[in-house]
Amino acid sequence: MTTAADYTGKIPNNVSLHEDRRLQRALESWQPNFLNWWQTMGPTLPTQDVYLRTAVNVGRDGWAQFGHVAMPEYRWGIFLAERDPGRRVGFGEHKGEPVWDKVPGEYRAELQRLIVIQGDTEPASVEQQRNLGATAPSLYDLRNLFQVNVEEGRHLWAMVYLLHAYFGREGREEAEELLHRNSGSLDAPRILGAFNEETPDWLSFFMFTYFTDRDGKYQLGTLKESAFDPLSRTCEFMLKEEAHHMMVGTTGVDRVVQRTVEVMREHDTDDVAGLGAIPLPVIQKYLNFHYSVSLDLFGGETSTNVANYYTAGLKGRWLEDRRRDDHKLTSDSIMVDALSEEAGTDEQSIGQTEVSALVGLNTDLRREYISDCQGGVKRWNRILEEGGVKQRLHLPHVAFNRKVGAFAGIEATPAGEKLSAEEWQRRQGAWLPTEVDKTYVRSLMQPVHQRGKIAAWIAPPRNGINGQPFDYDYVHLA
Ligand code: BYC
């Protein structure tokens, strides 16, 4: 059952906003604050218009249209996937009961918290990426950056709609706060660690869209299972848009690796710094950083929060309905990564421990994510292999550079060997980007804003957007 999208009002939507004047007015009064945030915290590069995809409906016959749009006039809308009237709770203590159209009083605080955390990441990423337009390697990449940005803006709308529609005054206050916290702010930072890190260059942007957006895919996937049906439906639709963001990351890193291989071969050297390409060890360090901060986004290896979310039916597992168990997990267990005491000493070593499956659910999701990330490394290594280069990229060990969870208090090498704090200080520059690496990468970030041209540190894409060629006029600069 779907309601046709309504494009006539100030806020495009398929939630019959016009039938609830109070809600409509509340969202319409949030809208200017959103636009003000977009103008002050959004993309800084002045443009006339950008070739953008806009969500227009949720059905199977196409949900998006493409066209040149002036960005502040982008039609950010509220779109929920179609309602399945027979849908039932798939897990937890309410398994088998009809899903909820309203928020049950006893779960209000937890649901609001999950929605606020999800909502907080969306504008955060736009803030992190706001200056990248000035150094885009091509108009194609510039367009993709802006596409990602406007859609993260729409995902903020998706969460703000839920807060306004289902959480009363507190929800409206939280919606305001989402525009007041800022990435990296000392006074009011974004909630989760990775969203306060900088995205100062395009290699970081591609790593972010590969690794951090992929956390988004997995978190949205678990919220899509929620018994709170409006949350489930909004996440289902967000996942459609998310696929493009990850394509930007995957193919972005592909193209950086590709170009590095070409320059290595052309000059018969591994040392491509100074030859205009990004050396493989630097790519590995950026990978190590973005992967490890993204692992933190899954929370602790064990968590009573996540056990409660699951039992209550608020947040499920990745592909819950494909799991062959009772979907309640009350008597199951799981091995999770942990520090274990070494017999007879005060030492702790990196190992595993058995815990109840419910408290180990963050680990379950993190493992799904890790195996997906291995897919990226595999494809980048294929590019290296096909280019005749012997080096390979790797995912670092789960204990490497962690700030959240079981390994937050220790240091470890990318191979998973425990290190003293002093040794970590001495050696971390071999594994994480140093100021020298970052300065070199930044020195390559010279804008290429001419149609059909591309920077020397990255290969062109195989395909353009929506069937258009690479040299299409994706962006008209102001
Ligand atoms: N940084 O019990 P624990 C996306 C807090 S990305 C700082 O282990 P829990 C996107 C935690 O809140 C997806 N603090 O955690 C991507 C808790 O605080 P309290 C975003 C952290 O609750 C790119 C305490 O530490 N969506 O969409 O089991 C571009 C104990 O932690 C961090 C979601 O995350 C951290 N990294 O799991 C745009 C989904 N990690 O309660 C968008 C909603 C944990 O002691 N969120 N803490 O005050 C959740 O499901 C969960 O809150 C978390 C944490 C998975 C984040």
Side-chain angles (χ1 to χ4, degrees):
M1 259 200 316
T2 152
T3 315
D6 176 0
Y7 255 76
T8 58
K10 285 187 182 163
I11 305 170
N13 71 91
N14 72 346
V15 293
S16 304
L17 205 50
H18 63 281
E19 288 174 10
D20 187 341
R21 295 281 172 200
R22 248 174 87 103
L23 175 60
Q24 186 175 22
R25 271 202 304 276
L27 285 165
E28 283 178 1
S29 70
W30 185 81
Q31 191 174 34
N33 300 345
F34 168 81
L35 289 172
N36 183 42
W37 166 83
W38 178 266
Q39 295 289 8
T40 51
M41 296 308 291
T44 53
L45 185 75
T47 50
Q48 284 176 49
D49 58 33
V50 182
Y51 186 67
L52 290 175
R53 168 174 86 174
T54 305
V56 289
N57 217 331
V58 297
R60 273 191 204 91
D61 331 322
W63 55 276
Q65 73 189 20
F66 285 81
H68 283 94
V69 180
M71 271 202 291
E73 287 159 30
Y74 189 77
R75 298 284 271 153
W76 284 280
I78 300 165
F79 296 103
L80 272 58
E82 292 179 32
R83 183 161 179 267
D84 168 3
R87 186 171 170 250
R88 293 189 172 262
V89 183
F91 60 92
E93 65 186 8
H94 301 291
K95 183 174 180 318
E97 296 172 18
V99 291
W100 320 320
D101 289 329
K102 298 247 167 341
V103 176
E106 67 265 42
Y107 302 138
R108 196 180 171 84
E110 285 91 342
L111 266 174
Q112 185 175 307
R113 183 175 160 72
L114 285 171
I115 292 167
V116 166
I117 294 179
Q118 180 62 49
D120 190 71
T121 63
E122 315 289 1
S125 65
V126 176
E127 293 164 359
Q128 289 170 294
Q129 295 161 14
R130 65 191 302 252
N131 293 319
L132 288 175
T135 56
S138 72
L139 289 184
Y140 162 89
D141 290 289
L142 186 58
R143 176 262 166 218
N144 286 347
L145 167 73
F146 292 149
Q147 183 71 61
V148 169
N149 292 162
V150 291
E151 285 176 350
E152 299 304 5
R154 205 200 68 73
H155 293 179
L156 171 60
W157 271 97
M159 293 302 126
V160 164
Y161 165 71
L162 295 179
L163 290 170
H164 272 236
Y166 297 97
F167 294 89
R169 191 155 66 87
E170 263 185 60
R172 290 194 293 279
E173 286 168 6
E174 289 287 6
E176 283 301 317
E177 286 306 308
L178 289 172
L179 298 176
H180 290 150
R181 280 187 294 272
N182 289 141
S183 177
S185 158
L186 290 178
D187 304 327
R190 291 297 175 182
I191 299 171
L192 299 176
F195 294 91
N196 289 304
E197 300 288 349
E198 284 184 313
T199 314
D201 58 68
W202 281 76
L203 181 57
S204 300
F205 173 65
F206 293 135
M207 292 292 178
F208 182 97
T209 40
Y210 187 84
F211 289 109
T212 307
D213 275 89
R214 194 166 304 271
D215 168 52
K217 168 180 163 183
Y218 281 84
Q219 299 293 349
L220 290 172
T222 63
L223 296 176
K224 178 172 90 81
E225 304 291 341
S226 183
F228 178 42
D229 205 38
L231 175 61
S232 163
R233 290 167 55 209
T234 207
C235 289
E236 186 175 338
F237 189 60
M238 287 161 77
L239 278 164
K240 262 190 182 168
E241 289 163 318
E242 207 56 53
H244 172 264
H245 305 188
M246 274 168 297
M247 183 286 281
V248 169
T250 310
T251 58
V253 180
D254 282 359
R255 292 159 53 211
V256 176
V257 173
Q258 177 68 43
R259 184 66 194 136
T260 297
V261 169
E262 286 165 10
V263 175
M264 283 169 79
R265 293 198 50 146
E266 211 174 296
H267 296 268
D268 194 20
T269 175
D270 295 348
D271 185 12
V272 295
L275 292 172
I278 305 181
L280 287 177
V282 175
I283 297 176
Q284 178 69 60
K285 289 188 202 181
Y286 273 66
L287 183 161
N288 290 348
F289 174 76
H290 287 273
Y291 175 68
S292 56
V293 299
S294 300
L295 289 183
D296 276 345
L297 292 172
F298 292 83
E301 278 60 29
T302 58
S303 160
T304 49
N305 285 344
V306 77
N308 294 336
Y309 295 152
Y310 187 83
T311 303
L314 313 183
K315 183 178 177 187
R317 283 173 295 175
W318 179 249
L319 301 180
E320 183 67 48
D321 56 0
R322 295 207 199 152
R323 307 288 185 120
R324 299 232 170 99
D325 51 35
D326 69 357
H327 302 275
K328 296 192 176 197
L329 310 179
T330 43
S331 46
D332 297 355
S333 61
I334 181 179
M335 295 301 288
V336 299
D337 300 306
L339 283 181
S340 345
E341 305 293 333
E342 279 180 30
T345 70
D346 289 343
E347 285 292 299
Q348 291 182 311
S349 60
I350 296 171
Q352 294 210 329
T353 188
E354 187 172 358
V355 299
S356 93
L358 284 169
V359 302
L361 283 172
N362 284 344
T363 297
D364 179 80
L365 190 62
R366 187 185 283 111
R367 283 188 184 142
E368 296 286 341
Y369 168 83
I370 290 172
S371 88
D372 195 354
C373 290
Q374 264 148 0
V377 172
K378 213 167 142 191
R379 71 184 266 153
W380 303 325
N381 283 339
R382 205 174 311 129
I383 297 172
L384 294 174
E385 190 179 353
E386 283 166 8
V389 162
K390 63 180 185 318
Q391 292 92 327
R392 296 290 177 264
L393 296 167
H394 305 276
L395 292 180
H397 191 273
V398 73
F400 172 78
N401 193 37
R402 295 292 303 281
K403 304 284 180 276
V404 172
F407 304 121
I410 62 145
E411 304 298 352
T413 66
E417 291 139 19
K418 207 162 150 263
L419 284 178
S420 68
E422 299 77 57
E423 214 179 336
W424 168 258
Q425 279 309 329
R426 203 159 44 77
R427 295 175 64 189
Q428 62 164 308
W431 305 314
L432 290 172
T434 61
E435 282 312 313
V436 173
D437 299 326
K438 290 188 216 172
T439 305
Y440 175 67
V441 171
R442 237 170 283 172
S443 77
L444 298 177
M445 301 292 128
Q446 302 301 326
V448 179
H449 288 162
Q450 296 95 329
R451 220 173 136 167
K453 295 277 184 339
I454 187 146
W457 56 269
I458 184 167
R462 281 181 198 277
N463 301 303
I465 294 297
N466 193 34
Q468 306 290 1
F470 170 68
D471 64 1
Y472 186 64
D473 56 343
Y474 288 110
V475 181
H476 296 122
L477 295 174

